[in-house]
Amino acid sequence: MTSSCIWEQKFERLFIPLRDTWRLTKEDSESLVDITSVARLGWKKFQNKAKVKFQCSKCNKRWTSLNGTVIFHYLLSRTEGNGQVKMWLLRQKCLRCNDVFESAQWYEKEIEKVLGNLLVKVQEKFYDDSGQAQRSLNTNQCSANMSSNHRKDLCEACSKDVCPLSVIEEI
């Protein structure tokens, strides 16, 4: 099963109880837009980080990061009864090759965590009147033996000024 299918399945399972129909689309990181440019249209933003793994496509080096970054922009059209979520999964470069941004391989547990956190934000913004018990964000961080410090020059989120080490933001 592909990574995109896992994201979509978990998203659907979590969002199906909502009274509106929600759709998730994975966007290319090159298409990431500044939230201020779309916020006037009603889009909201939620950013989260998680433990992910990477593998260099050039030298096959593998590494783990506790700062796998996902950015969601979400919008609900109450008149149409549907919501849309755009998702960007940001990448990192290999320390050896420093050549190309590599896509993260997400752990299923981490996918569930960030999508659950997104659901909390969607419920807060659009469904406060539902009377459902409000959940809180899952801020648990998976552990890992990290042997190196964060390198801004290898981090796509840093290059786009949205790195979770410098920003945890929602609009």
Side-chain angles (χ1 to χ4, degrees), residues 126-137:
F126 301 119
Y127 300 101
D128 259 353
D129 62 339
S130 67
Q132 296 178 9
Q134 292 296 316
R135 295 176 30 197
S136 59
L137 291 180

Side-chain angles (χ1 to χ4, degrees), residues 29-30 47 49 52 54 63 65-71 89-95 98-102 149-167:
S29 61
E30 298 304 315
Q47 177 173 331
K49 67 178 186 168
V52 296
F54 293 91
W63 69 97
S65 174
L66 295 177
N67 297 305
T69 302
V70 58
I71 296 175
L89 301 172
L90 297 173
R91 306 166 297 170
Q92 292 182 6
K93 289 182 181 178
C94 173
L95 179 62
N98 194 2
D99 194 20
V100 63
F101 284 116
E102 301 292 347
N149 292 326
H150 183 68
R151 295 266 312 264
K152 289 184 175 190
D153 58 321
L154 303 176
C155 175
E156 185 177 35
C158 282
S159 74
K160 295 184 178 298
D161 294 324
V162 293
C163 183
L165 293 182
S166 59
V167 151

Side-chain angles (χ1 to χ4, degrees), residues 32-49:
L32 181 62
V33 296
D34 180 6
I35 186 64
T36 56
S37 67
V38 293
R40 67 187 183 320
L41 301 173
W43 287 91
K44 308 294 183 194
K45 177 182 176 182
F46 177 65
Q47 177 173 331
N48 217 188
K49 67 178 186 168

